[in-house]
């Protein structure tokens, strides 16, 4: 008999293949939030460009790909970005195995918020091939599905599928502490509160908008009530603007020119 599901309660009604497809598209898997928070709970994925195309109009013979040294492979991935990096190896063959375990870690709210201070990159499963330019990052008997590291190649951390979330967060916190001046844990906790505030404003805005529509569609419009509801909607918009300003300050941890050591 199968053991109890390890998926969060609010995800248990989402079929596994649908959840994985949503994750690949960057769709937030925490379906309990309202629209503003859901928009924040996504990854800004980039895709590693390992072979530069020739200039337009120039035809060149195909070049056999070759594995880059580790330092050059990391340089290719970070592409001048000074943030720490998070690389996910796409593996469609894994099905409900390792990819699913990594997918659950990536779908976690706290993981997503920590990832806001990372350069997030997806690479194809072809990196396991010895001749792939980025192979050095995933080299080994069992290629990891996720790798964290510093942009200057001073630290590379493969993430195993069975690593608990606490271990993943610890690794992410450590890299953030080296790259930024601010306190990521404190900022993340504040951002969770901000997301809850967005949920409240979204719900209030929907309620007021519905009330306004009903007033305007009524056979006899109550002008005073219409003005009152519109005033409340303006107040919600003002509070949202204030919250966005607070959010910008909270999430700015001040990226260092060079990573801190030790």
């Amino acid at each position: 008999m199968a053991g109890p599901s390890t998926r969060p309660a609010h995800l248990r009604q989402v079929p596994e293949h649908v959840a994985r497809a949503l994750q690949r598209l960057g769709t937030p898997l925490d379906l309990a939030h309202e629209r503003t928070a859901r928009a924040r709970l996504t990854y800004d994925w980039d895709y590693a460009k390992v072979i530069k195309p020739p200039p337009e109009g120039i035809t060149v013979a195909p070049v056999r790909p070759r594995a880059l040294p580790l330092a050059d492979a990391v340089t290719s991935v970070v592409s001048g970005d000074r943030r720490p990096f998070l690389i996910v190896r796409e593996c469609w063959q894994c099905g409900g195995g390792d990819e699913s375990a990594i997918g659950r870690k990536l779908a976690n709210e706290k993981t997503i918020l920590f990832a806001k201070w990372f350069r997030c990159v997806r690479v194809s499963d072809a990196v396991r091939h010895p001749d792939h330019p980025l192979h050095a990052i995933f080299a080994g008997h069992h290629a990891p599905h996720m790798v964290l590291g510093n942009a200057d190649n001073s630290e590379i951390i493969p993430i195993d599928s069975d690593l608990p979330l606490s271990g993943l967060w610890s690794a992410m916190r450590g890299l953030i502490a080296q790259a930024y001046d601010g306190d990521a844990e404190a900022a993340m906790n504040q951002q969770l509160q901000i997301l809850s505030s967005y949920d409240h404003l979204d719900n209030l805005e929907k309620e007021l908008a519905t009330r306004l529509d009903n007033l305007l569609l009524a056979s006899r419009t109550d002008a005073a009530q219409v003005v009152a509801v519109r005033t409340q909607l303006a107040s919600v918009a003002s509070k949202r603007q204030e919250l966005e300003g607070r959010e910008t300050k909270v999430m700015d941890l001040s990226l260092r020119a060079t990573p801190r050591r030790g």
Side-chain angles (χ1 to χ4, degrees), residues 22 25-45 109 112-113 115-116 191 194-196 198-199 202 240 244 247 251:
L22 290 172
L25 293 172
T27 303
L29 298 187
D30 188 346
L31 306 180
H33 281 294
E34 298 300 322
R35 62 178 181 86
T36 304
R38 289 201 305 269
R40 264 68 172 172
L41 291 171
T42 57
Y43 288 88
D44 184 16
W45 291 114
E109 208 171 75
I112 295 172
L113 292 181
K116 295 298 181 182
Q191 179 65 357
I194 289 172
L195 294 180
S196 294
Y198 278 132
D199 287 338
D202 283 345
R240 185 183 298 279
E244 288 170 350
E247 179 183 24
M251 296 301 287

Side-chain angles (χ1 to χ4, degrees), residues 119-176:
R119 175 179 175 80
C120 298
V121 180
R122 300 189 83 102
V123 297
S124 74
D125 192 45
V127 293
R128 292 192 295 174
H129 194 282
D131 289 334
H132 192 281
L134 304 182
H135 178 70
I137 300 175
F138 291 85
H141 178 67
H142 180 70
H145 278 291
M146 188 191 307
V147 176
L148 307 176
N150 273 332
D152 67 352
N153 190 36
S154 61
E155 189 167 0
I156 305 292
I157 307 172
I159 302 299
D160 294 326
S161 303
D162 57 357
L163 181 72
L165 270 172
S166 58
L168 172 60
W169 295 337
S170 177
M172 296 178 84
R173 275 195 302 265
L175 290 170
I176 293 171

Side-chain angles (χ1 to χ4, degrees), residues 11-251:
L11 296 181
R12 288 178 186 162
Q13 302 306 314
V14 181
E16 194 70 40
H17 71 285
V18 173
R20 289 201 301 274
L22 290 172
Q23 180 63 51
R24 291 167 194 160
L25 293 172
T27 303
L29 298 187
D30 188 346
L31 306 180
H33 281 294
E34 298 300 322
R35 62 178 181 86
T36 304
R38 289 201 305 269
R40 264 68 172 172
L41 291 171
T42 57
Y43 288 88
D44 184 16
W45 291 114
D46 197 358
Y47 288 83
K49 302 173 182 65
V50 296
I51 299 177
K52 293 183 180 179
E56 187 176 351
I58 296 180
T59 303
V60 296
V63 177
R64 179 183 174 84
R66 62 180 180 84
L68 297 170
L70 179 59
D72 293 342
V74 171
T75 297
S76 175
V77 167
V78 302
S79 191
D81 196 327
R82 292 185 288 112
R83 292 175 296 172
F85 62 79
L86 180 159
I87 311 177
V88 172
R89 173 175 66 86
E90 297 176 338
C91 180
W92 314 129
Q93 298 91 338
C94 291
D98 287 355
E99 185 197 22
S100 178
I102 289 294
R104 286 195 294 271
K105 291 179 175 65
L106 288 171
N108 181 271
E109 208 171 75
K110 191 171 178 178
T111 306
I112 295 172
L113 292 181
F114 275 138
K116 295 298 181 182
W117 296 294
F118 284 73
R119 175 179 175 80
C120 298
V121 180
R122 300 189 83 102
V123 297
S124 74
D125 192 45
V127 293
R128 292 192 295 174
H129 194 282
D131 289 334
H132 192 281
L134 304 182
H135 178 70
I137 300 175
F138 291 85
H141 178 67
H142 180 70
H145 278 291
M146 188 191 307
V147 176
L148 307 176
N150 273 332
D152 67 352
N153 190 36
S154 61
E155 189 167 0
I156 305 292
I157 307 172
I159 302 299
D160 294 326
S161 303
D162 57 357
L163 181 72
L165 270 172
S166 58
L168 172 60
W169 295 337
S170 177
M172 296 178 84
R173 275 195 302 265
L175 290 170
I176 293 171
Q178 293 177 34
Y180 294 86
D181 288 325
D183 185 336
E185 189 75 34
M188 187 270 299
N189 287 331
Q190 291 183 64
Q191 179 65 357
L192 287 173
Q193 295 175 4
I194 289 172
L195 294 180
S196 294
S197 296
Y198 278 132
D199 287 338
H200 171 70
L201 291 180
D202 283 345
N203 283 321
L204 182 57
E205 190 173 53
K206 283 191 295 185
E207 179 187 333
L208 290 170
T210 299
R211 192 185 308 172
L212 180 61
D213 286 344
N214 291 337
L215 286 170
L216 294 175
L217 291 172
S219 57
R220 209 165 200 189
T221 302
D222 187 324
Q225 287 190 37
V226 168
V227 170
V229 172
R230 283 178 171 161
T231 300
Q232 289 176 286
L233 281 168
S235 175
V236 169
S238 177
K239 290 176 181 177
R240 185 183 298 279
Q241 190 172 15
E242 291 176 7
L243 202 57
E244 288 170 350
R246 179 185 163 202
E247 179 183 24
T248 298
K249 292 180 180 179
V250 163
M251 296 301 287

